[in-house]
PDB file of all heavy atoms in Angstrom:
ATOM      1  N   LEU A 216      58.476 139.206 150.953  1.00 86.00           N
ATOM      2  CA  LEU A 216      59.748 138.403 151.099  1.00 86.00           C
ATOM      3  C   LEU A 216      60.913 139.354 150.840  1.00 86.00           C
ATOM      4  O   LEU A 216      60.884 140.334 150.071  1.00 86.00           O
ATOM      5  CB  LEU A 216      59.865 137.240 150.214  1.00 86.00           C
ATOM      6  CG  LEU A 216      58.708 136.221 150.459  1.00 86.00           C
ATOM      7  CD1 LEU A 216      58.657 135.125 149.369  1.00 86.00           C
ATOM      8  CD2 LEU A 216      58.973 135.537 151.838  1.00 86.00           C
ATOM      9  N   ASP A 230      61.971 150.382 131.838  1.00 97.00           N
ATOM     10  CA  ASP A 230      62.279 151.364 130.896  1.00 97.00           C
ATOM     11  C   ASP A 230      63.478 151.092 130.061  1.00 97.00           C
ATOM     12  O   ASP A 230      63.720 151.798 129.036  1.00 97.00           O
ATOM     13  CB  ASP A 230      62.505 152.776 131.690  1.00 97.00           C
ATOM     14  CG  ASP A 230      61.206 153.224 132.336  1.00 97.00           C
ATOM     15  OD1 ASP A 230      60.183 152.827 131.843  1.00 97.00           O
ATOM     16  OD2 ASP A 230      61.266 154.174 133.198  1.00 97.00           O
ATOM     17  N   ASN A 247      52.611 119.427 124.708  1.00 98.00           N
ATOM     18  CA  ASN A 247      52.701 119.966 126.087  1.00 98.00           C
ATOM     19  C   ASN A 247      54.189 120.354 126.417  1.00 98.00           C
ATOM     20  O   ASN A 247      55.088 120.153 125.650  1.00 98.00           O
ATOM     21  CB  ASN A 247      52.102 119.101 127.100  1.00 98.00           C
ATOM     22  CG  ASN A 247      52.823 117.645 127.197  1.00 98.00           C
ATOM     23  OD1 ASN A 247      53.977 117.596 126.826  1.00 98.00           O
ATOM     24  ND2 ASN A 247      52.063 116.830 127.723  1.00 98.00           N
ATOM     25  N   TRP A 252      60.375 119.589 126.077  1.00 98.00           N
ATOM     26  CA  TRP A 252      61.626 119.710 126.722  1.00 98.00           C
ATOM     27  C   TRP A 252      62.372 118.343 126.838  1.00 98.00           C
ATOM     28  O   TRP A 252      63.615 118.285 127.121  1.00 98.00           O
ATOM     29  CB  TRP A 252      61.491 120.318 128.123  1.00 98.00           C
ATOM     30  CG  TRP A 252      61.241 121.792 128.063  1.00 98.00           C
ATOM     31  CD1 TRP A 252      60.100 122.365 128.359  1.00 98.00           C
ATOM     32  CD2 TRP A 252      62.207 122.793 127.630  1.00 98.00           C
ATOM     33  NE1 TRP A 252      60.208 123.777 128.213  1.00 98.00           N
ATOM     34  CE2 TRP A 252      61.394 123.955 127.662  1.00 98.00           C
ATOM     35  CE3 TRP A 252      63.461 122.748 127.139  1.00 98.00           C
ATOM     36  CZ2 TRP A 252      62.060 125.230 127.368  1.00 98.00           C
ATOM     37  CZ3 TRP A 252      64.087 124.002 126.874  1.00 98.00           C
ATOM     38  CH2 TRP A 252      63.317 125.175 127.006  1.00 98.00           C
ATOM     39  N   PHE A 274      57.817 140.584 117.043  1.00 98.00           N
ATOM     40  CA  PHE A 274      57.713 140.109 118.376  1.00 98.00           C
ATOM     41  C   PHE A 274      59.129 139.997 118.985  1.00 98.00           C
ATOM     42  O   PHE A 274      60.081 139.509 118.361  1.00 98.00           O
ATOM     43  CB  PHE A 274      57.076 138.718 118.404  1.00 98.00           C
ATOM     44  CG  PHE A 274      55.593 138.696 118.446  1.00 98.00           C
ATOM     45  CD1 PHE A 274      54.891 137.499 118.217  1.00 98.00           C
ATOM     46  CD2 PHE A 274      54.889 139.778 118.644  1.00 98.00           C
ATOM     47  CE1 PHE A 274      53.506 137.469 118.235  1.00 98.00           C
ATOM     48  CE2 PHE A 274      53.492 139.842 118.676  1.00 98.00           C
ATOM     49  CZ  PHE A 274      52.866 138.671 118.427  1.00 98.00           C
ATOM     50  N   ARG A 278      56.997 133.800 126.218  1.00 99.00           N
ATOM     51  CA  ARG A 278      56.651 133.245 127.518  1.00 99.00           C
ATOM     52  C   ARG A 278      56.614 131.662 127.352  1.00 99.00           C
ATOM     53  O   ARG A 278      55.890 131.105 126.546  1.00 99.00           O
ATOM     54  CB  ARG A 278      55.296 133.680 128.117  1.00 99.00           C
ATOM     55  CG  ARG A 278      54.989 133.137 129.455  1.00 99.00           C
ATOM     56  CD  ARG A 278      53.753 133.954 130.049  1.00 99.00           C
ATOM     57  NE  ARG A 278      53.409 133.541 131.447  1.00 99.00           N
ATOM     58  CZ  ARG A 278      52.280 132.782 131.646  1.00 99.00           C
ATOM     59  NH1 ARG A 278      51.512 132.347 130.626  1.00 99.00           N
ATOM     60  NH2 ARG A 278      51.921 132.430 132.839  1.00 99.00           N
ATOM     61  N   GLU A 291      70.966 117.703 133.853  1.00 98.00           N
ATOM     62  CA  GLU A 291      71.941 118.345 132.940  1.00 98.00           C
ATOM     63  C   GLU A 291      71.499 118.497 131.606  1.00 98.00           C
ATOM     64  O   GLU A 291      71.665 119.592 130.920  1.00 98.00           O
ATOM     65  CB  GLU A 291      73.278 117.650 133.067  1.00 98.00           C
ATOM     66  CG  GLU A 291      73.845 117.713 134.497  1.00 98.00           C
ATOM     67  CD  GLU A 291      73.997 119.031 135.002  1.00 98.00           C
ATOM     68  OE1 GLU A 291      74.517 119.962 134.249  1.00 98.00           O
ATOM     69  OE2 GLU A 291      73.577 119.298 136.195  1.00 98.00           O
ATOM     70  N   LYS A 306      69.069 134.463 118.729  1.00 98.00           N
ATOM     71  CA  LYS A 306      69.349 134.742 117.250  1.00 98.00           C
ATOM     72  C   LYS A 306      68.227 135.508 116.548  1.00 98.00           C
ATOM     73  O   LYS A 306      68.586 136.314 115.673  1.00 98.00           O
ATOM     74  CB  LYS A 306      69.502 133.397 116.597  1.00 98.00           C
ATOM     75  CG  LYS A 306      69.879 133.488 115.150  1.00 98.00           C
ATOM     76  CD  LYS A 306      70.080 132.144 114.542  1.00 98.00           C
ATOM     77  CE  LYS A 306      68.757 131.483 114.112  1.00 98.00           C
ATOM     78  NZ  LYS A 306      68.877 130.295 113.274  1.00 98.00           N
ATOM     79  N   GLY A 327      58.118 110.721 129.766  1.00 97.00           N
ATOM     80  CA  GLY A 327      58.094 109.783 128.686  1.00 97.00           C
ATOM     81  C   GLY A 327      57.193 110.110 127.571  1.00 97.00           C
ATOM     82  O   GLY A 327      56.831 111.386 127.324  1.00 97.00           O
ATOM     83  N   VAL A 401      57.674 128.663 146.299  1.00 98.00           N
ATOM     84  CA  VAL A 401      58.445 129.008 145.148  1.00 98.00           C
ATOM     85  C   VAL A 401      58.943 130.397 145.117  1.00 98.00           C
ATOM     86  O   VAL A 401      60.104 130.742 144.727  1.00 98.00           O
ATOM     87  CB  VAL A 401      57.676 128.639 143.821  1.00 98.00           C
ATOM     88  CG1 VAL A 401      56.481 129.617 143.611  1.00 98.00           C
ATOM     89  CG2 VAL A 401      58.595 128.708 142.681  1.00 98.00           C
ATOM     90  N   THR A 438      52.080 141.153 136.624  1.00 98.00           N
ATOM     91  CA  THR A 438      51.655 140.435 135.465  1.00 98.00           C
ATOM     92  C   THR A 438      50.166 139.991 135.728  1.00 98.00           C
ATOM     93  O   THR A 438      49.736 139.642 136.835  1.00 98.00           O
ATOM     94  CB  THR A 438      52.607 139.372 135.021  1.00 98.00           C
ATOM     95  OG1 THR A 438      52.634 138.288 136.020  1.00 98.00           O
ATOM     96  CG2 THR A 438      53.951 139.807 134.733  1.00 98.00           C
TER      97      THR A 438
END
Side-chain angles (χ1 to χ4, degrees):
L216 297 171
D230 291 344
N247 60 22
W252 290 110
F274 278 167
R278 183 170 179 255
E291 294 307 312
K306 182 181 79 171
V401 69
T438 60

